[in-house]
């Protein structure tokens, strides 16, 4: 049974690997690139498989699941061979940013990250043993929807109009359909299915964060970012509780990473933007918050790109993005427009109550206060609704990021600026969108904030870590900076000066030789 569960993941993983290989910017294949491919392929493959499964279910042919998976792999392999034969994939490998100084204690970073990763997995395993069904959202929404779909057979759509509004039948189906696929392979509704899926996405988020930074910045920078992520108790909690917020965080992060990879390595080849469009659309197929994300990304990206490269090239990039998102958008449109009921946030609301909430001044202050307090506590654990907001012991994640950027300093590369500006703009728009939803929510505002805001923040947390470490100096760069300052200080004592282009690899005797030469000339 366990073997069949892993096989249910292995086939989409293979399909995702082929797809990311087709759309990935040119890179030489090494350990970091290979692990980044695996991390991207993990979520993308499962997302595509769920979309195809949904399409097969519409005419009530769900029995063709196994054949569908095999056909998916065969089609992608054939497409890869065809494109390679046409020369589409014969590209020179892109160059990486050089790690300027070999740190003496470089191994300490992967060792610390590995230890944190192992301890995190142990804590997740303990949580699974205590609560194998997950927390409330897992067994009331995602796993429950999966059971309705599996047991419903040809009538699986009935649960969408069953009147069980408290189960949120309007939520997209990436997670439930992925669970159904695993149960189909296993032949039973085993609890290991949702557990393996949850761990799979948790590891994919960590791998995507670490190895994208290893390629874009340096390996030590990637491992440090992984330490911050795996050192966030609430991130591990969400992974253990089988919530959809971790898969959603994966697709948010994957979209931003795709933009950076395109801008850094693709030159004038824009097809990697299809990867960004695909992951943004899969975010919308994961949870309703992903729909807001998909609405925010295209205008933010277009606004910054058109400023730098002009309207014509920006339109071309937008076309590639839409091409990647379009297949998944068609699936979302069918589900949202023809099957799913309306959201509990918007259904049954009249204009008058809506305006009253928008004109309620104290409501704005209550939401803003919750934003500030949650930002300082959400990484440290669950906020107990009975006790309200509380500050748990430990360093708040947002404070850790602020200290790191302050100590290391900021250094950006010109080609990264459109992607970085896009990601920051989208993150701000997302927070503003969440704020607007809280303003108009028909539910009790205090209850709604206490039960959801920390999860909304954790969705953006891996992306926030990634953006901070993209602009902060790497340990190698900080070391070079410190060595050059020390050289300047020593040379100033001897009456010399360091050259701006002097590198650390130069012999240590060079400054002394230069200083002695100057003293000899003065004596002459």
């Amino acid at each position: 049974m366990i073997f069949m569960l892993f096989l249910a993941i292995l086939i989409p993983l293979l399909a995702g690997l082929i797809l990311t290989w087709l759309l990935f910017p040119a890179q030489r294949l090494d350990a970091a690139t290979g692990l980044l491919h695996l991390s991207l392929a993990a979520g993308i493959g499962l997302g595509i498989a769920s979309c195809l499964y949904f399409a097969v279910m519409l005419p009530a042919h769900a029995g063709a699941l196994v054949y569908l998976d095999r056909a998916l792999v065969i089609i992608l392999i054939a497409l890869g061979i065809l494109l390679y034969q046409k020369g589409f994939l014969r590209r020179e490998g892109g160059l990486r940013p050089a790690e300027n100084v070999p740190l003496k204690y470089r191994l300490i970073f992967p060792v610390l990250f590995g230890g944190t990763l192992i301890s995190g997995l142990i804590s997740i395993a303990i949580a699974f043993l205590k609560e194998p069904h997950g927390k409330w959202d897992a067994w009331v929404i995602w796993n429950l929807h999966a059971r309705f779909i599996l047991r419903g057979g040809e009538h699986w759509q009935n649960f969408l109009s069953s009147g069980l509004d408290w189960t949120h039948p309007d939520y997209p189906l990436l997670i439930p359909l992925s669970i159904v696929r695993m149960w189909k392979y296993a032949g039973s509704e085993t609890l290991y299915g949702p557990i393996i899926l949850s761990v799979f996405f948790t590891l994919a988020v960590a791998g995507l964060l670490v190895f994208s930074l290893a390629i874009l910045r340096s390996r030590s920078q990637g491992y440090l970012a992984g330490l911050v992520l795996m050192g966030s108790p609430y991130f591990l909690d969400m992974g253990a509780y089988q919530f959809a917020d971790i898969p959603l965080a994966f697709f948010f992060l994957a979209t931003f990473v795709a933009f950076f990879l395109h801008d850094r390595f693709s030159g004038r080849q824009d097809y990697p933007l299809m990867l960004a469009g695909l992951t943004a659309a899969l975010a919308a197929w994961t949870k309703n918050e992903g729909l807001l994300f998909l609405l925010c990304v295209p205008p933010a990206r277009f606004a910054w790109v058109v400023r730098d490269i002009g309207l014509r090239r920006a339109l071309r990039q937008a076309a590639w993005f839409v091409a990647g998102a379009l297949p998944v958008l068609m699936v979302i449109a069918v589900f949202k427009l023809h099957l799913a009921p309306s959201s509990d946030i918007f259904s049954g609301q009249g204009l008058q109550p809506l305006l009253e909430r928008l004109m309620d001044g104290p409501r704005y202050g209550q939401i803003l206060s919750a934003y500030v307090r949650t930002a300082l506590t959400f990484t440290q654990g669950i906020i107990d609704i009975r006790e309200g907001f509380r500050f748990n012991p430990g360093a708040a994640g947002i404070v850790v990021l602020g200290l790191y950027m302050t100590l290391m300093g900021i250094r950006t590369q010109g080609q990264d600026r459109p992607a970085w500006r896009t990601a920051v703009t989208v993150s701000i728009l997302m927070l503003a969108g969440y704020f607007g939803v809280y303003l108009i929510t028909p539910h009790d505002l205090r209850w709604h904030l206490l039960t959801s805001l920390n999860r909304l923040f954790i969705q953006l947390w891996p992306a926030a870590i990634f953006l901070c470490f993209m602009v902060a100096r790497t340990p190698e760069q900080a070391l070079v900076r410190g060595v050059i300052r020390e050289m300047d200080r020593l040379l100033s004592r001897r009456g010399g000066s360091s050259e701006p282009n002097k590198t650390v690899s130069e012999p240590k005797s060079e400054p002394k030789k230069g200083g002695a030469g100057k003293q000899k000339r003065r004596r002459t």
Side-chain angles (χ1 to χ4, degrees), residues 37-56:
H37 272 284
L38 281 174
S39 301
L40 276 172
I44 291 174
L46 285 170
I48 293 174
S50 69
C51 291
L52 292 175
Y53 192 19
F54 176 78
V56 170

mmCIF file with all atom_site columns, all heavy atoms in Angstrom, residues 37-56:
data_model
loop_
_atom_site.group_PDB
_atom_site.id
_atom_site.type_symbol
_atom_site.label_atom_id
_atom_site.label_alt_id
_atom_site.label_comp_id
_atom_site.label_asym_id
_atom_site.label_entity_id
_atom_site.label_seq_id
_atom_site.pdbx_PDB_ins_code
_atom_site.Cartn_x
_atom_site.Cartn_y
_atom_site.Cartn_z
_atom_site.occupancy
_atom_site.B_iso_or_equiv
_atom_site.pdbx_formal_charge
_atom_site.auth_seq_id
_atom_site.auth_comp_id
_atom_site.auth_asym_id
_atom_site.auth_atom_id
_atom_site.pdbx_PDB_model_num
ATOM 1   N N   . HIS A 1 37 ? 14.942  21.431 -9.547  1.00 0.00 ? 37 HIS A N   1
ATOM 2   C CA  . HIS A 1 37 ? 14.010  20.796 -10.479 1.00 0.00 ? 37 HIS A CA  1
ATOM 3   C C   . HIS A 1 37 ? 13.052  19.864 -9.737  1.00 0.00 ? 37 HIS A C   1
ATOM 4   O O   . HIS A 1 37 ? 11.838  19.881 -9.992  1.00 0.00 ? 37 HIS A O   1
ATOM 5   C CB  . HIS A 1 37 ? 14.785  20.003 -11.531 1.00 0.00 ? 37 HIS A CB  1
ATOM 6   C CG  . HIS A 1 37 ? 15.174  20.808 -12.728 1.00 0.00 ? 37 HIS A CG  1
ATOM 7   N ND1 . HIS A 1 37 ? 14.287  21.165 -13.717 1.00 0.00 ? 37 HIS A ND1 1
ATOM 8   C CD2 . HIS A 1 37 ? 16.353  21.338 -13.099 1.00 0.00 ? 37 HIS A CD2 1
ATOM 9   C CE1 . HIS A 1 37 ? 14.914  21.856 -14.656 1.00 0.00 ? 37 HIS A CE1 1
ATOM 10  N NE2 . HIS A 1 37 ? 16.168  21.986 -14.287 1.00 0.00 ? 37 HIS A NE2 1
ATOM 11  N N   . LEU A 1 38 ? 13.589  19.064 -8.832  1.00 0.00 ? 38 LEU A N   1
ATOM 12  C CA  . LEU A 1 38 ? 12.742  18.142 -8.070  1.00 0.00 ? 38 LEU A CA  1
ATOM 13  C C   . LEU A 1 38 ? 11.708  18.893 -7.233  1.00 0.00 ? 38 LEU A C   1
ATOM 14  O O   . LEU A 1 38 ? 10.538  18.497 -7.161  1.00 0.00 ? 38 LEU A O   1
ATOM 15  C CB  . LEU A 1 38 ? 13.606  17.271 -7.166  1.00 0.00 ? 38 LEU A CB  1
ATOM 16  C CG  . LEU A 1 38 ? 14.316  16.084 -7.823  1.00 0.00 ? 38 LEU A CG  1
ATOM 17  C CD1 . LEU A 1 38 ? 15.239  15.409 -6.828  1.00 0.00 ? 38 LEU A CD1 1
ATOM 18  C CD2 . LEU A 1 38 ? 13.303  15.085 -8.364  1.00 0.00 ? 38 LEU A CD2 1
ATOM 19  N N   . SER A 1 39 ? 12.137  19.975 -6.592  1.00 0.00 ? 39 SER A N   1
ATOM 20  C CA  . SER A 1 39 ? 11.227  20.746 -5.738  1.00 0.00 ? 39 SER A CA  1
ATOM 21  C C   . SER A 1 39 ? 10.108  21.369 -6.570  1.00 0.00 ? 39 SER A C   1
ATOM 22  O O   . SER A 1 39 ? 8.932   21.325 -6.178  1.00 0.00 ? 39 SER A O   1
ATOM 23  C CB  . SER A 1 39 ? 12.005  21.829 -4.993  1.00 0.00 ? 39 SER A CB  1
ATOM 24  O OG  . SER A 1 39 ? 13.027  21.273 -4.198  1.00 0.00 ? 39 SER A OG  1
ATOM 25  N N   . LEU A 1 40 ? 10.461  21.975 -7.695  1.00 0.00 ? 40 LEU A N   1
ATOM 26  C CA  . LEU A 1 40 ? 9.444   22.552 -8.570  1.00 0.00 ? 40 LEU A CA  1
ATOM 27  C C   . LEU A 1 40 ? 8.509   21.479 -9.121  1.00 0.00 ? 40 LEU A C   1
ATOM 28  O O   . LEU A 1 40 ? 7.282   21.654 -9.150  1.00 0.00 ? 40 LEU A O   1
ATOM 29  C CB  . LEU A 1 40 ? 10.111  23.300 -9.724  1.00 0.00 ? 40 LEU A CB  1
ATOM 30  C CG  . LEU A 1 40 ? 10.546  24.744 -9.479  1.00 0.00 ? 40 LEU A CG  1
ATOM 31  C CD1 . LEU A 1 40 ? 11.362  25.248 -10.661 1.00 0.00 ? 40 LEU A CD1 1
ATOM 32  C CD2 . LEU A 1 40 ? 9.341   25.646 -9.241  1.00 0.00 ? 40 LEU A CD2 1
ATOM 33  N N   . ALA A 1 41 ? 9.096   20.378 -9.562  1.00 0.00 ? 41 ALA A N   1
ATOM 34  C CA  . ALA A 1 41 ? 8.303   19.324 -10.188 1.00 0.00 ? 41 ALA A CA  1
ATOM 35  C C   . ALA A 1 41 ? 7.319   18.698 -9.214  1.00 0.00 ? 41 ALA A C   1
ATOM 36  O O   . ALA A 1 41 ? 6.253   18.217 -9.623  1.00 0.00 ? 41 ALA A O   1
ATOM 37  C CB  . ALA A 1 41 ? 9.228   18.256 -10.757 1.00 0.00 ? 41 ALA A CB  1
ATOM 38  N N   . ALA A 1 42 ? 7.652   18.693 -7.920  1.00 0.00 ? 42 ALA A N   1
ATOM 39  C CA  . ALA A 1 42 ? 6.779   18.068 -6.928  1.00 0.00 ? 42 ALA A CA  1
ATOM 40  C C   . ALA A 1 42 ? 5.387   18.698 -6.937  1.00 0.00 ? 42 ALA A C   1
ATOM 41  O O   . ALA A 1 42 ? 4.374   18.005 -7.092  1.00 0.00 ? 42 ALA A O   1
ATOM 42  C CB  . ALA A 1 42 ? 7.413   18.198 -5.543  1.00 0.00 ? 42 ALA A CB  1
ATOM 43  N N   . GLY A 1 43 ? 5.332   20.010 -6.786  1.00 0.00 ? 43 GLY A N   1
ATOM 44  C CA  . GLY A 1 43 ? 4.033   20.672 -6.753  1.00 0.00 ? 43 GLY A CA  1
ATOM 45  C C   . GLY A 1 43 ? 3.395   20.795 -8.114  1.00 0.00 ? 43 GLY A C   1
ATOM 46  O O   . GLY A 1 43 ? 2.173   20.629 -8.266  1.00 0.00 ? 43 GLY A O   1
ATOM 47  N N   . ILE A 1 44 ? 4.193   21.100 -9.138  1.00 0.00 ? 44 ILE A N   1
ATOM 48  C CA  . ILE A 1 44 ? 3.647   21.296 -10.479 1.00 0.00 ? 44 ILE A CA  1
ATOM 49  C C   . ILE A 1 44 ? 3.046   20.000 -11.012 1.00 0.00 ? 44 ILE A C   1
ATOM 50  O O   . ILE A 1 44 ? 1.957   19.987 -11.595 1.00 0.00 ? 44 ILE A O   1
ATOM 51  C CB  . ILE A 1 44 ? 4.734   21.832 -11.425 1.00 0.00 ? 44 ILE A CB  1
ATOM 52  C CG1 . ILE A 1 44 ? 5.101   23.263 -11.028 1.00 0.00 ? 44 ILE A CG1 1
ATOM 53  C CG2 . ILE A 1 44 ? 4.275   21.789 -12.876 1.00 0.00 ? 44 ILE A CG2 1
ATOM 54  C CD1 . ILE A 1 44 ? 6.258   23.837 -11.808 1.00 0.00 ? 44 ILE A CD1 1
ATOM 55  N N   . GLY A 1 45 ? 3.755   18.877 -10.812 1.00 0.00 ? 45 GLY A N   1
ATOM 56  C CA  . GLY A 1 45 ? 3.240   17.606 -11.296 1.00 0.00 ? 45 GLY A CA  1
ATOM 57  C C   . GLY A 1 45 ? 1.925   17.229 -10.649 1.00 0.00 ? 45 GLY A C   1
ATOM 58  O O   . GLY A 1 45 ? 0.977   16.797 -11.329 1.00 0.00 ? 45 GLY A O   1
ATOM 59  N N   . LEU A 1 46 ? 1.824   17.386 -9.321  1.00 0.00 ? 46 LEU A N   1
ATOM 60  C CA  . LEU A 1 46 ? 0.570   17.074 -8.645  1.00 0.00 ? 46 LEU A CA  1
ATOM 61  C C   . LEU A 1 46 ? -0.547  18.023 -9.074  1.00 0.00 ? 46 LEU A C   1
ATOM 62  O O   . LEU A 1 46 ? -1.708  17.604 -9.209  1.00 0.00 ? 46 LEU A O   1
ATOM 63  C CB  . LEU A 1 46 ? 0.773   17.164 -7.131  1.00 0.00 ? 46 LEU A CB  1
ATOM 64  C CG  . LEU A 1 46 ? 1.544   16.006 -6.498  1.00 0.00 ? 46 LEU A CG  1
ATOM 65  C CD1 . LEU A 1 46 ? 1.887   16.315 -5.050  1.00 0.00 ? 46 LEU A CD1 1
ATOM 66  C CD2 . LEU A 1 46 ? 0.739   14.712 -6.583  1.00 0.00 ? 46 LEU A CD2 1
ATOM 67  N N   . GLY A 1 47 ? -0.210  19.285 -9.301  1.00 0.00 ? 47 GLY A N   1
ATOM 68  C CA  . GLY A 1 47 ? -1.229  20.234 -9.744  1.00 0.00 ? 47 GLY A CA  1
ATOM 69  C C   . GLY A 1 47 ? -1.779  19.882 -11.113 1.00 0.00 ? 47 GLY A C   1
ATOM 70  O O   . GLY A 1 47 ? -3.004  19.915 -11.338 1.00 0.00 ? 47 GLY A O   1
ATOM 71  N N   . ILE A 1 48 ? -0.896  19.545 -12.036 1.00 0.00 ? 48 ILE A N   1
ATOM 72  C CA  . ILE A 1 48 ? -1.334  19.176 -13.385 1.00 0.00 ? 48 ILE A CA  1
ATOM 73  C C   . ILE A 1 48 ? -2.159  17.892 -13.347 1.00 0.00 ? 48 ILE A C   1
ATOM 74  O O   . ILE A 1 48 ? -3.202  17.775 -14.019 1.00 0.00 ? 48 ILE A O   1
ATOM 75  C CB  . ILE A 1 48 ? -0.118  19.016 -14.313 1.00 0.00 ? 48 ILE A CB  1
ATOM 76  C CG1 . ILE A 1 48 ? 0.561   20.366 -14.521 1.00 0.00 ? 48 ILE A CG1 1
ATOM 77  C CG2 . ILE A 1 48 ? -0.523  18.408 -15.648 1.00 0.00 ? 48 ILE A CG2 1
ATOM 78  C CD1 . ILE A 1 48 ? 1.849   20.280 -15.293 1.00 0.00 ? 48 ILE A CD1 1
ATOM 79  N N   . ALA A 1 49 ? -1.712  16.911 -12.552 1.00 0.00 ? 49 ALA A N   1
ATOM 80  C CA  . ALA A 1 49 ? -2.450  15.655 -12.453 1.00 0.00 ? 49 ALA A CA  1
ATOM 81  C C   . ALA A 1 49 ? -3.861  15.883 -11.918 1.00 0.00 ? 49 ALA A C   1
ATOM 82  O O   . ALA A 1 49 ? -4.833  15.256 -12.386 1.00 0.00 ? 49 ALA A O   1
ATOM 83  C CB  . ALA A 1 49 ? -1.688  14.679 -11.559 1.00 0.00 ? 49 ALA A CB  1
ATOM 84  N N   . SER A 1 50 ? -4.010  16.784 -10.930 1.00 0.00 ? 50 SER A N   1
ATOM 85  C CA  . SER A 1 50 ? -5.346  17.063 -10.389 1.00 0.00 ? 50 SER A CA  1
ATOM 86  C C   . SER A 1 50 ? -6.241  17.733 -11.424 1.00 0.00 ? 50 SER A C   1
ATOM 87  O O   . SER A 1 50 ? -7.446  17.446 -11.494 1.00 0.00 ? 50 SER A O   1
ATOM 88  C CB  . SER A 1 50 ? -5.229  17.933 -9.134  1.00 0.00 ? 50 SER A CB  1
ATOM 89  O OG  . SER A 1 50 ? -4.790  19.242 -9.446  1.00 0.00 ? 50 SER A OG  1
ATOM 90  N N   . CYS A 1 51 ? -5.658  18.605 -12.246 1.00 0.00 ? 51 CYS A N   1
ATOM 91  C CA  . CYS A 1 51 ? -6.446  19.250 -13.310 1.00 0.00 ? 51 CYS A CA  1
ATOM 92  C C   . CYS A 1 51 ? -6.927  18.227 -14.336 1.00 0.00 ? 51 CYS A C   1
ATOM 93  O O   . CYS A 1 51 ? -8.091  18.248 -14.767 1.00 0.00 ? 51 CYS A O   1
ATOM 94  C CB  . CYS A 1 51 ? -5.616  20.328 -14.002 1.00 0.00 ? 51 CYS A CB  1
ATOM 95  S SG  . CYS A 1 51 ? -5.250  21.778 -12.992 1.00 0.00 ? 51 CYS A SG  1
ATOM 96  N N   . LEU A 1 52 ? -6.040  17.324 -14.728 1.00 0.00 ? 52 LEU A N   1
ATOM 97  C CA  . LEU A 1 52 ? -6.419  16.296 -15.699 1.00 0.00 ? 52 LEU A CA  1
ATOM 98  C C   . LEU A 1 52 ? -7.453  15.335 -15.109 1.00 0.00 ? 52 LEU A C   1
ATOM 99  O O   . LEU A 1 52 ? -8.383  14.899 -15.793 1.00 0.00 ? 52 LEU A O   1
ATOM 100 C CB  . LEU A 1 52 ? -5.180  15.537 -16.155 1.00 0.00 ? 52 LEU A CB  1
ATOM 101 C CG  . LEU A 1 52 ? -4.181  16.339 -16.997 1.00 0.00 ? 52 LEU A CG  1
ATOM 102 C CD1 . LEU A 1 52 ? -2.944  15.501 -17.282 1.00 0.00 ? 52 LEU A CD1 1
ATOM 103 C CD2 . LEU A 1 52 ? -4.821  16.792 -18.304 1.00 0.00 ? 52 LEU A CD2 1
ATOM 104 N N   . TYR A 1 53 ? -7.290  15.017 -13.846 1.00 0.00 ? 53 TYR A N   1
ATOM 105 C CA  . TYR A 1 53 ? -8.256  14.141 -13.188 1.00 0.00 ? 53 TYR A CA  1
ATOM 106 C C   . TYR A 1 53 ? -9.636  14.808 -13.146 1.00 0.00 ? 53 TYR A C   1
ATOM 107 O O   . TYR A 1 53 ? -10.668 14.158 -13.376 1.00 0.00 ? 53 TYR A O   1
ATOM 108 C CB  . TYR A 1 53 ? -7.761  13.802 -11.790 1.00 0.00 ? 53 TYR A CB  1
ATOM 109 C CG  . TYR A 1 53 ? -8.518  12.686 -11.111 1.00 0.00 ? 53 TYR A CG  1
ATOM 110 C CD1 . TYR A 1 53 ? -9.298  11.794 -11.838 1.00 0.00 ? 53 TYR A CD1 1
ATOM 111 C CD2 . TYR A 1 53 ? -8.429  12.507 -9.736  1.00 0.00 ? 53 TYR A CD2 1
ATOM 112 C CE1 . TYR A 1 53 ? -9.979  10.773 -11.211 1.00 0.00 ? 53 TYR A CE1 1
ATOM 113 C CE2 . TYR A 1 53 ? -9.107  11.486 -9.099  1.00 0.00 ? 53 TYR A CE2 1
ATOM 114 C CZ  . TYR A 1 53 ? -9.889  10.624 -9.853  1.00 0.00 ? 53 TYR A CZ  1
ATOM 115 O OH  . TYR A 1 53 ? -10.554 9.612  -9.226  1.00 0.00 ? 53 TYR A OH  1
ATOM 116 N N   . PHE A 1 54 ? -9.661  16.100 -12.871 1.00 0.00 ? 54 PHE A N   1
ATOM 117 C CA  . PHE A 1 54 ? -10.932 16.831 -12.871 1.00 0.00 ? 54 PHE A CA  1
ATOM 118 C C   . PHE A 1 54 ? -11.585 16.779 -14.257 1.00 0.00 ? 54 PHE A C   1
ATOM 119 O O   . PHE A 1 54 ? -12.793 16.570 -14.376 1.00 0.00 ? 54 PHE A O   1
ATOM 120 C CB  . PHE A 1 54 ? -10.687 18.274 -12.453 1.00 0.00 ? 54 PHE A CB  1
ATOM 121 C CG  . PHE A 1 54 ? -11.918 19.144 -12.502 1.00 0.00 ? 54 PHE A CG  1
ATOM 122 C CD1 . PHE A 1 54 ? -12.864 19.079 -11.496 1.00 0.00 ? 54 PHE A CD1 1
ATOM 123 C CD2 . PHE A 1 54 ? -12.132 20.018 -13.559 1.00 0.00 ? 54 PHE A CD2 1
ATOM 124 C CE1 . PHE A 1 54 ? -14.004 19.872 -11.542 1.00 0.00 ? 54 PHE A CE1 1
ATOM 125 C CE2 . PHE A 1 54 ? -13.255 20.817 -13.611 1.00 0.00 ? 54 PHE A CE2 1
ATOM 126 C CZ  . PHE A 1 54 ? -14.202 20.738 -12.607 1.00 0.00 ? 54 PHE A CZ  1
ATOM 127 N N   . ALA A 1 55 ? -10.782 16.970 -15.303 1.00 0.00 ? 55 ALA A N   1
ATOM 128 C CA  . ALA A 1 55 ? -11.326 16.933 -16.657 1.00 0.00 ? 55 ALA A CA  1
ATOM 129 C C   . ALA A 1 55 ? -11.887 15.556 -16.992 1.00 0.00 ? 55 ALA A C   1
ATOM 130 O O   . ALA A 1 55 ? -12.926 15.432 -17.659 1.00 0.00 ? 55 ALA A O   1
ATOM 131 C CB  . ALA A 1 55 ? -10.241 17.324 -17.659 1.00 0.00 ? 55 ALA A CB  1
ATOM 132 N N   . VAL A 1 56 ? -11.229 14.503 -16.509 1.00 0.00 ? 56 VAL A N   1
ATOM 133 C CA  . VAL A 1 56 ? -11.712 13.146 -16.767 1.00 0.00 ? 56 VAL A CA  1
ATOM 134 C C   . VAL A 1 56 ? -12.991 12.862 -15.976 1.00 0.00 ? 56 VAL A C   1
ATOM 135 O O   . VAL A 1 56 ? -13.880 12.135 -16.441 1.00 0.00 ? 56 VAL A O   1
ATOM 136 C CB  . VAL A 1 56 ? -10.616 12.124 -16.404 1.00 0.00 ? 56 VAL A CB  1
ATOM 137 C CG1 . VAL A 1 56 ? -11.159 10.700 -16.424 1.00 0.00 ? 56 VAL A CG1 1
ATOM 138 C CG2 . VAL A 1 56 ? -9.460  12.236 -17.380 1.00 0.00 ? 56 VAL A CG2 1
#
